[in-house]
Amino acid sequence: MKDRVQAAVIGGGVVGASVLYHLTKAGWRDVVLIERSELTSGSTWHAAGGMHTLNSDPNVAKLQSYTIALYRELEEISGQSCGIHLTGGIMLAGTPERLDYLKVAQSKNRLLGLETEFISLDEAEAIFPIMDKRHFLGALYDANEGHVDPSGVTNAYAKAARLQGAEIYRHTPVVELSPAPEGGWLVVTEKGTIHAEQVVNAGGLWARELGRMVGLELPLLAMEHQYIVTDDMPEVAAHGRELAHCIDFEGEAYMRQEGRGMVLGTYERAGVPWSPERTPMDFGHELLQPDLDRIAPSLEVAFEHFPALGNAGIKRTINGPFVFAPDGNPVIGPVRGLPGYWLATGVMAGFSQGGGVGLTLANWMVEGDPGMDVFAMDNARFGAWADRAYTHAKVQENYSRRFSITFPNEELPAAREQRTTPVYGELSAAGAVWGATYGLEQALWFSPEGQEQTETPSFRRSNAFDPVAAEVRACREGVGLFETSGFAKYQVTGKDSEAWLNRLLAGRLPKAGRIALTPMLAPDGRLRGDFTVARADRETFNIFGSGPSEGFHLRWFESRMNGAEVTVEAQGDNLVGFMIAGPKSRELLSRLAEGDVSANAFPFLSFARLRVAGVPTLVGRISFTGDLGYELWVAPEDQSRLLAELRSHGEDLGLRLFGSRALDSMRLEKGYGGWLREYSVDDEPFEAGLGRFVALGKGDFVGRAAAERTKAEGPKRRLVTLLVETEDADAWGDEAVWHDGQVVGNVTSGGYGHFVRQSIALAYVPAELAANGASKEVSFEVEILGERRPARLTTSPPFDPSGARMRG
């Protein structure tokens, strides 16, 4: 056994083996895999081995497609069979809502070049003859589905990695992990200690234990998962070729052929956690006690929808644990505060996602970048609020809803009120309908008196449509009040803070008393952030950004200190606030502020410490609504008082509370993009419309050379605003944009602009089409629920195109 290595991967399941292989493929040779028992000893060996591309996040779906395509390459390199059965698959819709869901999924697939097609129920029955088509309304066919042999795949990864220089140590439990004094990690095993420059936690069922060795409590929980294998079925044998995979969403079941019988698995509503506190170290190649009674309701539906199954005997029942994260996606990437420690955990769909996770992590470790936006899998999407109670509640909810529709406007009930602000009660009493973002309760909209404080989940316009419209009108015509506490807030101080920020950010820093908007770039010129930077005095900078990306950005900040004397502190729940916006917002502020806030004394992009309603307040003249507006930031103990004073003094001005749905509507009317939507690590500033904030002449900064190059070359695509002709459904995001019969772009976000009375979508399209898009010769269509809706490109925002109201 080596005593020093470049990287040590801990865990010999399909994910660990994939990471090892991809590291060697990327050129690292001094790498090892350490496995406590035999390869596949955790969840891998008893997995059903299914593979598919369907995922709610397009980039994760892309990585799943990569995984499926990889298996042939693995076989050629290793000489090991992966047991590939590329049978194709059908997804069955039993309700109109599920049919809408499949239409949305198909549109997302188009963006990635993943071709799926709707087939008739007769065609579905022809390739899956055991179904009773009377129970279904439609079927989506995907040729790129099937299953593999779990053991074969894992050993193919392992053999391919060995051929490229890696070593694998079986029966070598890790008993301790600690930082090495000279850097890297000391991996203490029962057979000796290895000094590893990098460590990968691919521990699967034991990932929590590996995390606790370094002080991490990972948001993971194992669930018991059952599937049955039937006896031989004459209906299967008579078909003459292997049946396609099948998912029956209403029956909460998946099926594939096994020999001359079928595998039938289900994600039952009454899911049971397994070993919720810790995984026994002596657990291995063993199964859990079957509990068919627990899955009986799902089996009954399956027997009704697929009658031949009801007549088949059960050859065996598999019940084994799989690890899940709260949202069902993997938990991967570098860990803030632990240099050289990487996660490859929570990968419950290992044979769909294992290859993509291995590729992503290898890119990240070797090149310093995952290669694409993988925030949907990044461990930074969870904060300290994702504690054990939250994790257990959300995992069980997610498991029970594995085949349920989660609508784009739906907020799930488990583990709510993890984080609330002091005005939660007052806003609830005012009719707030709540959502949760980064664990924080956020008002989505406010229900009028007499209307239920809940929203009907739908792909179409919901019961929130009219109340949100009223909130937008009140803000545009008078004054609206929005709680901004969900934004990320950072305070940057220290003698090197100005120089450090100048180097880190692509835009010019504001002078004291001013605000500036600036992107943050990676060395390759792609975006890493989009911030508002405010400066109350020479030595203190307040930075505001995306709330859900707080952990992601803190990790980026801290990894780029380079010895500077600077402190970056996330304000989190210690700084809360409001936005007031609309033509009467200045009048409202003037009634409460101790100081001159007139247009001349406090112009657009001003920032100051003022007392508002007797409360010490950071006041910025800026608003994401694109209207005249102000952001007011206070300590938590002062928030309730400030809210009461604003509502009292704004009553005669028509003040109305508004939520994030109204804010979204108004920012779409201005064509404003948002982080994780229009702006991501896949995008460059000049294609995203942020080029005007990149100060190429200010001196050197991270990404400057790449930004100069991309500006000179010109962007290949551009972010545009499309006005869509639609009736009862708007774009949400990830819809395909069509031109001349071809998919040419993608919607990043959309909705209804209630003040301009127009359905709006922000989208990326080729630069040439964007330049000519306003002409009558260029027409676009946005695919909404399977229908291509006419869309017109506008070169100016629908609301206040000159910006006179915002700056006035």
Side-chain angles (χ1 to χ4, degrees), residues 452-484:
E452 191 176 359
Q453 260 176 269
T454 187
E455 183 169 357
T456 305
S458 177
F459 288 111
R460 303 171 192 273
R461 293 172 186 167
S462 73
N463 59 315
F465 189 82
D466 290 338
V468 171
E471 292 171 21
V472 170
R473 284 195 303 272
C475 188
R476 292 289 195 219
E477 295 171 357
V479 58
L481 188 154
F482 172 80
E483 189 189 9
T484 54

Side-chain angles (χ1 to χ4, degrees), residues 5 58 216 311 342 440 443 462 485 586 588 608 636 696:
V5 296
L216 288 177
N311 299 321
W342 300 81
L440 179 69
S462 73
S485 304
R586 179 185 289 119
L588 173 58
L696 292 173

Side-chain angles (χ1 to χ4, degrees), residues 1-2 20 29 31-34 161-162 165-169:
M1 189 169 72
K2 293 182 176 181
L20 186 75
R29 297 290 182 260
V31 292
V32 300
L33 184 146
I34 307 169
R162 283 196 192 101
E167 294 186 7
I168 295 176
Y169 307 136

